[in-house]
Amino acid sequence: MILSVEGLAFNYPSRSVIKDIKFSISKGDFLAILGVNGAGKSTLLKCINRILKPHTGTVFIKGEEAFKLGRRELAKRIGYVAQRNESIRSTVFDAVLLGRKPYIQWEASREDLEIAQDALKSLGLTEYALRYLNELSGGEQQKVVIARALAQKPELLLLDEPTSSLDLKNQFEVAKIIKKVVKEQQIAAVVTMHDLNLAIRFADKFLLLKDGKIFAAGGIEVMTPENIESVYSVPVKIDKIEDVPVVIPV
C-alpha cells in the first residue's frame, strides 16, 4: 500500500470542508478525485501533502505516518502539482531540476541532471530546456511543473487539475503520461479532475466527493449515471464509442 488515508477531516472557521475521508491506493493506481467546485478536492490533496493540517485523521505513506516525516523526506515521497503555479524567471531546465532539491546536498550530480533531462523528455519539453518560463504559454508552463514533480522520483503523485489549462491534444498527452509513469514506475497518482470523460478514459480508481464526504469510491463500476447525477445534479447517460465509455449530459 502506497497511500492510506484514515478519517481525514478539515474545517475552516466558517465551515467544514472534508469529513471522515478514508481510502487507500497501491502501486500502479491512478485515482481520480471527482466532484463539483467546492466539494473539497483541492483541500484533500493539501491535507495529504501537509500543506494544510487536518483537524482529525491520519495519512500513511507506505506505512509511515506522513505528519511525522521531515519536509525533505516528505518531498522525496510525494510530488505535488498545485492548480496555480507562479512563473519565476528561470529556464525550463532549471525549473525542472528544482525537483531534485530534496536529494541535492551541495550541487547537482550527473544523476540529478540526467533525471531532469528524462523528465523533460517525457513531457515533450526537451526543445524548451533553455527557454525561460515566462516565454511559455500557460499550458506549457503547466507541463514544466508536472515534469518537475516527476523529477522528484516520488512514490506518490498528487496533481490538482493538471489538465485544466491545456488544449485537447495536451490534455490527452498529459493524462497518458501520468498513466504511463504510474504503471511503468509502479508508483501511485491521486489526481483531481473536472473532465469526467478524461477521468474514465485514463483513471482506474475513482473517488466521488459530495459536500465534503465520499459519496462513492471504487473502480469503473462506481461511475454510473445515477452516481454522477447525484454528485453533479445533472442527468447523464453513459455510452461507448469504440469501447471507450463516454459520459453524455441529457
Side-chain angles (χ1 to χ4, degrees), residues 202-215:
F202 291 103
D204 44 48
K205 288 193 174 182
F206 306 88
L207 193 71
L208 282 78
L209 292 182
K210 183 178 181 180
D211 300 325
K213 298 179 181 178
I214 295 177
F215 181 83

Side-chain angles (χ1 to χ4, degrees), residues 80-152:
Y80 173 67
V81 175
Q83 271 190 51
R84 298 174 183 83
N85 296 276
E86 293 184 7
S87 179
I88 58 174
R89 181 66 176 172
S90 165
T91 66
V92 168
F93 184 83
D94 285 342
V96 173
L97 188 60
L98 278 174
R100 300 302 300 162
K101 187 176 179 181
Y103 302 89
I104 296 172
Q105 297 297 327
W106 299 104
E107 61 181 21
S109 66
R110 179 180 293 274
E111 181 184 14
D112 295 319
L113 299 176
E114 290 174 351
I115 288 172
Q117 289 170 346
D118 289 343
L120 284 171
K121 185 177 179 181
S122 70
L123 271 295
L125 295 168
T126 301
E127 64 182 282
Y128 298 94
L130 298 181
R131 289 178 60 179
Y132 285 93
L133 289 178
N134 59 4
E135 298 173 354
L136 305 183
S137 69
E140 289 166 343
Q141 290 182 23
Q142 180 74 347
K143 292 172 79 172
V144 171
V145 179
I146 294 170
R148 184 172 67 199
L150 293 179
Q152 289 176 233

Side-chain angles (χ1 to χ4, degrees), residues 123 143 146 162-163 166 170-178:
L123 271 295
K143 292 172 79 172
I146 294 170
T163 60
L166 304 179
N170 282 310
Q171 286 179 21
F172 272 72
E173 280 187 1
V174 167
K176 283 172 64 177
I177 288 164
I178 294 167

